[in-house]
Amino acid sequence: MGTTGTQPRLKNLELAAVGGSDVHVKMLAAPINPSDINMIQGNYGLLPQLPAVGGNEGVGQVVAVGSGVTGVKPGDWVIPANPGLGTWRTEAVFGEEELITVPSDIPLQSAATLGVNPCTAYRMLVDFERLRPGDSIIQNASNSGVGQAVIQIAAARGLRTINVLRDRPDLQKLTDRLKNLGANHVVTEEELRKPEMKSFFKDVPQPRLALNCVGGKSSTELLRHLAPGGTMVTYGGMAKQPVIASVSQLIFKDLKLRGFWLSQWKKDHSPDQFKELILTLCDLIRQGQLTAPACSEVPLQDYLCALEASTQPFVSSKQILTM
């Protein structure tokens, strides 16, 4: 799939010959993430050289390998080692170092959505605050791909989650779905602003960690409920509004404001550490503790419908292109 300006279109590309360290991959499935849309719009922290193929995440199957390839073999499932690979296509030839093998005994949708959202969720839960079983965390946009992964990974680690959602027509259905994933508490943005939340925090420990991918008023509310000395990690800005912290929160509560970007984490860590993270997540998937987010599978040729659906308000299903 090529892009002209910001208008994606389907295009046939020549397949390169398979050289010494090359791997011929048949793509199986690739999701549409908000960061993919940002990349097409040109307002992301990492932009590929144009013309480019869209899609930063997905899973493919190895068809053939060059003579110098030792780490993968035909039949293996592989995911991108780094963003910018261009996964919205039926097949491609990649360098071996651009791919990571994943076990093929996990569900296809889990493999397709493994490399970005669950990795982000896991690192944010582990890297910023020393959380122990029984501690609580609070997050907004809890029905996002990262949000759903946070709920499940937190539950597997014995952490309690307070999950904030925008009010919406199907609120009860969505609340039930998040609770089935292991969410302890689900509240709307409006409920979070009410004085009654004070009594809520008499029974539930104040969260030491807040995860923000919205910004604006929503992040202000998360900060208000953080325990003294706690950390808010921002990993997205769906409201396109700044994060505002009051001076008293910084001085008297000593709250910390941090950011997280998986691409940066990967630059700061070795490929082996990323592989280790992927395998940790695969173990959780096998144990039934981590499932793919709610997905709608769309054939690649219907990509326009999928792109359209993924930019609608109140999306509660991730679009996955199937090849």
Side-chain angles (χ1 to χ4, degrees), residues 247-265:
V247 170
S248 67
Q249 285 172 332
L250 297 175
I251 297 176
F252 304 124
K253 281 184 82 180
D254 188 24
L255 297 183
K256 297 185 279 296
L257 300 181
R258 299 287 306 272
F260 181 81
W261 188 32
L262 185 66
S263 302
Q264 187 61 47
W265 184 90

Side-chain angles (χ1 to χ4, degrees), residues 1 10 90 298-306 321-323:
M1 183 186 294
L10 276 186
T90 51
V298 181
L300 179 64
Q301 56 270 29
D302 300 335
Y303 72 94
L304 274 176
C305 303
L321 299 169
T322 55
M323 322 308 177

Side-chain angles (χ1 to χ4, degrees), residues 85-318:
L85 200 62
T87 54
W88 300 345
R89 51 175 143 193
T90 51
E91 55 186 324
V93 173
F94 300 120
E96 181 183 10
E97 76 292 341
E98 297 180 290
L99 304 167
I100 283 183
T101 316
V102 294
S104 55
D105 63 350
I106 60 172
L108 182 69
Q109 289 186 348
S110 293
T113 56
L114 181 63
V116 176
N117 293 339
C119 292
T120 296
Y122 188 92
R123 296 274 43 120
M124 291 194 304
L125 285 171
V126 171
D127 293 351
F128 293 92
E129 284 283 337
R130 280 193 136 138
L131 299 173
R132 296 190 172 77
D135 285 349
S136 59
I137 68 141
I138 188 167
Q139 65 166 345
N140 55 23
S142 312
N143 60 312
S144 66
V146 171
Q148 292 177 57
V150 163
I151 289 170
Q152 297 175 81
I153 296 165
R157 296 175 76 86
L159 305 170
R160 297 160 75 155
T161 54
I162 302 153
N163 300 282
V164 187
L165 291 173
R166 286 180 298 170
D167 202 359
R168 62 190 65 219
D170 60 346
L171 183 67
Q172 192 51 53
K173 202 171 103 188
L174 185 53
T175 299
D176 294 343
R177 203 175 84 204
L178 297 185
K179 289 201 163 165
N180 283 339
L181 290 179
N184 302 86
H185 310 281
V186 179
V187 295
T188 63
E189 297 272 4
E190 291 71 26
E191 285 167 340
L192 195 62
R193 292 195 186 106
K194 289 184 174 156
E196 291 88 85
M197 284 306 286
K198 268 217 161 68
S199 58
F200 173 84
F201 285 110
K202 286 199 175 82
D203 307 323
V204 176
Q206 262 194 313
R208 301 235 318 278
L209 179 68
L211 305 178
N212 162 49
C213 83
V214 180
K217 284 187 182 131
S218 176
S219 55
T220 303
E221 287 305 312
L222 294 190
L223 280 173
R224 213 157 64 88
H225 296 294
L226 260 188
T231 303
M232 182 169 81
V233 182
T234 293
Y235 66 98
M238 305 301 262
K240 295 186 166 56
Q241 288 164 347
V243 168
I244 297 173
S246 73
V247 170
S248 67
Q249 285 172 332
L250 297 175
I251 297 176
F252 304 124
K253 281 184 82 180
D254 188 24
L255 297 183
K256 297 185 279 296
L257 300 181
R258 299 287 306 272
F260 181 81
W261 188 32
L262 185 66
S263 302
Q264 187 61 47
W265 184 90
K266 285 190 195 171
K267 277 184 197 153
D268 298 340
H269 294 78
S270 69
D272 283 344
Q273 284 169 302
F274 182 54
K275 281 180 191 157
E276 198 182 318
L277 172 56
I278 291 291
L279 291 176
T280 302
L281 294 167
C282 287
D283 285 342
L284 288 173
I285 291 168
R286 283 203 203 86
Q287 290 155 19
Q289 292 178 308
L290 180 61
T291 56
C295 295
S296 306
E297 294 193 356
V298 181
L300 179 64
Q301 56 270 29
D302 300 335
Y303 72 94
L304 274 176
C305 303
L307 282 170
E308 183 67 30
S310 69
T311 51
Q312 294 303 313
F314 303 124
V315 183
S316 45
S317 178
K318 190 176 277 292

